[in-house]
Amino acid sequence: MLVAFFRRSLSRPLAPRFLSHKTLSSSSRQNATQLCRRLASNLTKTTAKETNAPVYPERLCIYHAGVTRITFLACVKLSTIFIFVFFTFVVTPKYYEKEGWSPTTIRTALSGVVPLLFVAWTTSPFVMFMHVRLPPFARQSEQMLRQYLKKLPRDAELAVTTMSPIAKARASKLRVSELRQDNQRLGIVNYVRDTTAEDATRKWYNYRAVGKFSFQANKAPRVPWAWDELAKTIPQKQKA
């Protein structure tokens, strides 16, 4: 009798526990299945977005002069500024106090002025990098980009970055139709544009617009061929 009673009392709580464990397991399986489906759908959507993503950015760098060349030129510009300050404001006044405007004083003053003017004259057209604004279809593939550059609209926008006298980046926004091929400053300048209208809108204390450019070897990281395609569409400047 006692043995039968204990058997019945032990068997009663086990049945609901077993059923609840089965129910919990089935619900856990359903939740796990739904979670996997959500993850799979999210992964599919992400993959589709990445597949349709543009290959090139809207503002693409098609010309880069190279980090080494840019750094060297900036160091040369800053060096000539230091030389100008040293000879003009330190050495020349000492000679002037002793000798007045003697040949030595004049040579000392020119030692600071001439290098500054020469470096400014030869390096002001130097182009560090250039960007072009692309329409959506030209950003999809290299083939579409090549076709766009070969038939580039004359109102396409360019951003040409040169270097100021204090080695600071200076961006000039212009249209492709403004550029012309030319040969000036002993071959340093190879592209020019007319800046008369733009200079008329600037104050007297502002820099004049950059109208002479020097494009050298192109080291653009992604599309080193793009500048060559664009340069073919730029005409020669007509001689007066």
Side-chain angles (χ1 to χ4, degrees):
M1 297 276 304
L2 291 174
V3 173
F5 174 79
F6 280 113
R7 286 180 179 176
R8 287 195 300 271
S9 62
L10 291 173
S11 62
R12 286 174 184 172
L14 289 175
R17 287 177 186 174
F18 177 73
L19 291 175
S20 63
H21 178 69
K22 290 181 66 179
T23 305
L24 181 61
S25 299
S26 62
S27 62
S28 299
R29 291 195 191 96
Q30 292 177 357
N31 293 335
T33 303
Q34 293 177 358
L35 180 61
C36 290
R37 289 176 180 175
R38 290 177 183 175
L39 291 175
S41 62
N42 291 336
L43 181 61
T44 303
K45 292 178 181 178
T46 304
T47 305
K49 289 181 180 179
E50 292 178 353
T51 303
N52 297 328
V55 178
Y56 302 107
E58 182 180 0
R59 191 169 177 267
L60 178 64
C61 178
I62 62 174
Y63 176 87
H64 198 290
V67 177
T68 304
R69 189 177 300 175
I70 294 173
T71 305
F72 174 77
L73 187 60
C75 292
V76 171
K77 279 180 171 287
L78 294 177
S79 299
T80 55
I81 293 174
F82 292 140
I83 291 172
F84 170 78
V85 172
F86 176 72
F87 277 94
T88 305
F89 299 102
V90 179
V91 180
T92 302
K94 297 295 183 182
Y95 279 106
Y96 182 77
E97 290 177 0
K98 294 179 180 180
E99 305 177 8
W101 286 111
S102 64
T104 304
T105 305
I106 296 174
R107 285 196 300 267
T108 304
L110 292 178
S111 298
V113 175
V114 171
L116 181 69
L117 296 178
F118 178 76
V119 171
W121 184 75
T122 56
T123 61
S124 59
F126 176 77
V127 177
M128 295 192 293
F129 34 83
M130 181 175 66
H131 295 78
V132 61
R133 190 173 298 277
L134 300 176
F137 75 89
R139 301 167 55 193
Q140 300 304 318
S141 65
E142 181 178 335
Q143 182 180 2
M144 298 298 294
L145 178 60
R146 286 182 181 272
Q147 293 179 1
Y148 174 73
L149 293 177
K150 287 180 180 179
K151 301 178 180 179
L152 191 67
R154 306 316 297 167
D155 60 344
E157 183 179 328
L158 300 176
V160 183
T161 304
T162 54
M163 193 178 295
S164 70
I166 59 174
K168 183 181 178 181
R170 183 183 178 189
S172 302
K173 293 184 178 180
L174 51 96
R175 304 289 181 183
V176 178
S177 58
E178 299 177 25
L179 283 177
R180 293 290 183 271
Q181 297 186 34
D182 203 355
N183 189 346
Q184 299 180 14
R185 294 191 187 181
L186 304 177
I188 297 174
V189 175
N190 48 16
Y191 287 86
V192 297
R193 68 166 177 144
D194 186 9
T195 60
T196 305
E198 187 174 350
D199 287 336
T201 61
R202 299 195 176 197
K203 303 294 184 181
W204 62 268
Y205 51 81
N206 294 133
Y207 283 125
R208 300 298 89 186
V210 180
K212 303 179 187 298
F213 303 101
S214 176
F215 291 92
Q216 305 299 327
N218 184 15
K219 297 184 179 180
R222 298 186 62 179
V223 285
W225 49 265
W227 166 242
D228 296 331
E229 295 290 342
L230 176 59
K232 295 176 183 177
T233 65
I234 300 176
Q236 293 280 347
K237 182 181 178 181
Q238 296 180 357
K239 301 298 181 181

